[in-house]
């Protein structure tokens, strides 16, 4: 199994450009997440999904949109990139449980630079 | 509100020395606790987790962590550090909130290992 994969691995954008990050998982997990990682701030949740066709806002959703048309895929979109969105983006997935007692599985990350 | 504090931003140890990384959490109920490691340019990998039972948990790569409820701590330890342990380490609390599994991350501790 590949686990959680992300494309692309690196991307450089100019301010105002748009792009979509793709996350795919082959573990049949219900929950999927998008995080951003910035120095000294750990990981912050952007958006998440509890199942196909459903998405919700996390801690820092402004400037991002997401879609989950298929259970295995979770897309993160930037409609008009800003330098403040320069970051490393991680996708994660986890099984559906009624407790917090299950780890999330992370992808390798996408390093995005906005000039 | 739930939170995780990792008091040490950077730690440097010599190869072969012992290691302890600190983690304190704030959470009203019995927590689910995790330690993740992020090697340079990589995603997050689960080192170990605590759900209940024995307060000393063993993980991969020779790491262990001890849950101390009275101190709200979950410190990570390794008796003898290897150069390959140089990485960033994240402590996290897991909970089920708002209808999904949620992870609250600390800001991370970056470990450097001197030969």
């Amino acid at each position: 199994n590949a686990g959680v994969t992300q494309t692309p691995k690196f991307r450089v954008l100019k301010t105002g450009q748009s792009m979509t990050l793709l996350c795919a998982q082959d573990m049949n997990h219900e929950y999927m997440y998008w995080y951003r990682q910035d120095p000294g701030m750990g990981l912050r949740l952007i958006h998440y999904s509890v199942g196909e066709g459903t998405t919700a806002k996390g801690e820092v959703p402004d400037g991002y949109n997401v879609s989950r048309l298929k259970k295995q895929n979770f897309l993160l979109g930037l409609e008009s990139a800003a330098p403040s969105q320069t970051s490393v983006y991680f996708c994660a997935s986890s099984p559906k449980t009624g407790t917090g007692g299950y780890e999330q599985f992370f992808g390798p990350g996408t390093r995005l630079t906005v000039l | 509100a739930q939170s995780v504090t990792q008091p040490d931003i950077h730690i440097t140890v010599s190869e072969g020395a012992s290691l302890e990384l600190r983690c304190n959490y704030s959470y009203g109920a019995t927590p689910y606790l995790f330690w993740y490691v992020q090697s340079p340019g990589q995603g997050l990998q689960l080192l170990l987790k605590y759900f209940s039972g024995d307060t000393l948990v063993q993980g991969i790569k020779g790491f262990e962590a001890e849950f101390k409820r009275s101190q709200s701590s979950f410190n990570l330890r390794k008796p003898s550090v290897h150069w390959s342990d140089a990485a960033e380490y994240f402590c996290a609390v897991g909970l089920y909130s708002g209808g999904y599994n949620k992870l609250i991350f600390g800001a991370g501790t970056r470990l450097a290992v001197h030969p």
Side-chain angles (χ1 to χ4, degrees):
Chain A
N1 289 345
V4 180
T5 59
Q6 293 181 233
T7 53
K9 288 185 169 50
F10 303 92
R11 186 71 185 268
V12 178
L13 292 178
K14 295 181 180 179
T15 296
Q17 289 185 316
S18 63
M19 77 164 294
T20 300
L21 283 67
L22 172 63
C23 175
Q25 54 96 2
D26 61 4
M27 296 174 282
N28 201 34
H29 287 166
E30 290 290 336
Y31 298 160
M32 296 187 75
Y33 312 81
W34 275 107
Y35 293 91
R36 60 177 290 171
Q37 182 185 31
D38 302 292
M41 303 189 76
L43 277 76
R44 294 181 292 168
L45 184 64
I46 303 171
H47 285 280
Y48 65 96
S49 169
V50 299
E52 183 178 314
T54 69
T55 63
K57 295 180 180 179
E59 182 185 357
V60 288
D62 293 342
Y64 305 95
N65 57 75
V66 289
S67 65
R68 186 131 179 240
L69 300 179
K70 293 182 179 180
K71 184 177 183 178
Q72 64 267 34
N73 295 337
F74 195 28
L75 279 63
L76 178 71
L78 286 73
E79 291 185 348
S80 179
S84 61
Q85 294 177 304
T86 294
S87 188
V88 182
Y89 292 86
F90 287 100
C91 177
S93 70
S94 74
K96 179 178 180 180
T97 70
T99 73
Y102 213 101
E103 68 264 33
Q104 294 178 15
F105 297 81
F106 285 82
T110 295
R111 184 172 295 275
L112 175 66
T113 301
V114 183
L115 303 176
Chain B
Q2 305 89 4
S3 64
V4 177
T5 302
Q6 294 180 246
D8 305 304
I9 299 173
H10 295 279
I11 285 184
T12 300
V13 300
S14 298
E15 191 168 16
S18 63
L19 172 70
E20 182 169 29
L21 301 182
R22 296 183 291 165
C23 172
N24 293 97
Y25 66 89
S26 172
Y27 183 57
T30 300
Y32 298 101
L33 296 163
F34 304 85
W35 274 101
Y36 283 86
V37 60
Q38 184 184 24
S39 298
Q42 304 296 314
L44 277 72
Q45 180 184 19
L46 182 70
L47 278 177
L48 49 78
K49 58 190 178 185
Y50 171 78
F51 288 173
S52 64
D54 194 346
T55 56
L56 186 63
V57 294
Q58 303 297 321
I60 61 171
K61 305 185 179 186
F63 284 92
E64 66 178 25
E66 186 171 13
F67 169 60
K68 292 185 177 180
R69 184 186 302 275
S70 61
Q71 299 178 17
S72 297
S73 69
F74 188 55
N75 294 351
L76 182 70
R77 301 194 294 247
K78 187 170 185 178
S80 178
V81 171
H82 188 262
W83 64 266
S84 61
D85 293 324
E88 189 154 22
Y89 293 80
F90 293 94
C91 181
V93 167
L95 58 146
Y96 187 77
S97 174
Y100 71 104
N101 293 354
K102 189 176 183 180
L103 281 179
I104 309 294
F105 285 91
T109 297
R110 186 169 296 276
L111 174 67
V113 180
H114 280 179

